[in-house]
Amino acid sequence: MDKPVLERFSLEGKSSLVTGGGSGIGKAYCHALGEAGASVAVVDINLEAAEGTVAELEAKGITAIAIRCDVTDEQDVERMVNQVIETFGSLTIGVNNAGMGIWSDALEMEFGMWRKTLSLNLDAVFLCSRIEARAMKKPGYGKIINTASMSGHISNTPQKQVAYNASKAGVLHLTRSLAAEWAPLGIRVNSISPGYTKTDLVDKLLETPEGKAMEPLWLSMTPMGRMALTEDLQGALVYLASEASDFTTGADIVVDGGYCVW
Ligand code: NAD
């Protein structure tokens, strides 16, 4: 290996896309990829939010474009990936991060809410992964990184969130399965499992009386005693996106302040 180790973390000259890049964890991922040298397509159903992220990236001198896309729609995902390739010439890094979380009682919840959660958190991750992989197959190299969750490993307490937990457990096994299938193509597939992270998604939950009551319990159950900041997730992403992780596939990196160790 003739490249010094830190150079193997560089993303200079690579092109990337991040779904859900308009806010929260996805936005922090866009900054991480761009700061490490990649061009970034910020993909979101909310175009204004994606454009907001692009403006922040461009202010740092990062090459970026905003693309509106509903990741649950196959044709929209195909169009989005084509646009990334037309703009950047290739796609090396696909970060499938868009997701949603709701709390609901398994006995009472509408079945439609189950389907909606699974459609965005699991079906869309499969859709995006395979359309990205088709683009990576010819060059014979690619990095797919899916956002799972500590909720894919454990059934958190005390909130009831069966659809979310099941969808994220699905992302973990989808990731391992695709890793095995696509290793011969040079495509690595890994995931990151955040713990509770300060974003709009969690802020919305914490605004409810139920959420307010839960926060102290969550913090007491986290060995590091705090929620993650989105910056806490950036190092794992750059590792998985870079040559430094070329022999890592089918892995999940848990970034949860130790929540899952108890
Ligand atoms: P967020 O709500 O801040 O961001 C989600 C983004 O996805 C938004 O910009 C939204 O517009 C976009 N989006 C929603 N539906 C979409 C669709 N159909 N097509 C394209 N984009 C769409 O949420 P976040 O907290 O940053 O979560 C990002 C990911 O991290 C999710 O997969 C979530 O499950 C996961 N996660 C979050 C936490 C946490 O504590 N925040 C913990 C573990 C895992």
Side-chain angles (χ1 to χ4, degrees):
M1 197 76 65
D2 27 336
K3 256 195 208 171
V5 67
L6 287 182
E7 278 182 32
R8 279 181 265 139
F9 282 81
S10 168
L11 303 180
E12 216 56 60
K14 305 271 168 63
S15 63
S16 68
L17 71 83
V18 180
T19 72
S23 89
I25 293 170
K27 184 194 273 205
Y29 283 168
C30 291
H31 279 270
L33 295 171
E35 286 172 15
S39 312
V40 187
V42 182
V43 178
D44 208 289
I45 198 165
N46 180 343
L47 181 60
E48 210 180 308
E51 287 171 342
T53 302
V54 167
E56 291 176 13
L57 298 179
E58 286 178 341
K60 291 181 176 173
I62 296 164
T63 302
I65 51 163
I67 305 179
R68 190 205 172 273
C69 172
D70 176 354
V71 293
T72 64
D73 178 326
E74 185 172 12
Q75 284 181 346
D76 218 19
V77 176
E78 264 168 12
R79 181 196 50 79
M80 176 274 287
V81 170
N82 287 339
Q83 192 180 335
V84 175
I85 292 165
E86 274 161 27
T87 310
F88 296 147
S90 63
L91 174 67
T92 312
I93 302 155
V95 183
N96 304 315
N97 163 80
M100 61 175 281
I102 59 136
W103 293 336
S104 43
D105 184 309
L107 287 176
E108 305 299 334
M109 71 189 285
E110 304 242 340
F111 184 56
M113 190 46 76
W114 167 275
R115 287 282 353 129
K116 195 173 168 198
T117 307
L118 271 285
S119 166
L120 178 58
N121 289 6
L122 181 59
D123 298 358
V125 174
F126 171 67
L127 258 185
C128 290
S129 296
R130 75 167 178 168
I131 294 169
E132 290 156 6
R134 285 176 187 149
M136 294 167 178
K137 189 176 163 186
K138 197 159 169 218
Y141 185 85
K143 301 279 194 170
I144 292 176
I145 301 134
N146 297 324
T147 298
S149 170
M150 70 174 180
S151 307
H153 295 269
I154 55 162
S155 178
N156 320 7
T157 188
Q159 68 273 24
K160 293 172 180 167
Q161 48 175 38
V162 64
Y164 187 79
N165 294 346
S167 70
K168 294 299 185 176
V171 170
L172 292 171
H173 208 54
L174 171 71
T175 298
R176 288 188 285 263
S177 305
L178 295 180
E181 197 167 322
W182 295 342
L185 306 178
I187 301 168
R188 286 78 169 167
V189 191
N190 294 289
S191 58
I192 297 173
S193 282
Y196 296 116
T197 307
K198 287 292 281 174
T199 65
D200 285 356
L201 185 151
V202 163
D203 284 344
K204 270 183 217 144
L205 294 171
L206 290 179
E207 275 163 17
T208 63
E210 211 186 349
K212 276 198 187 97
M214 276 176 207
E215 191 176 6
L217 177 67
W218 292 351
L219 297 182
S220 73
M221 290 175 73
T222 307
M224 302 284 291
R226 66 169 176 87
M227 285 196 203
L229 303 174
T230 54
E231 295 90 307
D232 290 315
L233 299 161
Q234 291 177 314
L237 181 81
V238 171
Y239 167 65
L240 291 176
S242 71
E243 278 172 44
S245 63
D246 272 357
F247 199 56
T248 301
T249 198
D252 179 64
I253 301 181
V254 180
V255 185
D256 67 350
Y259 193 99
C260 290
V261 302
W262 282 344

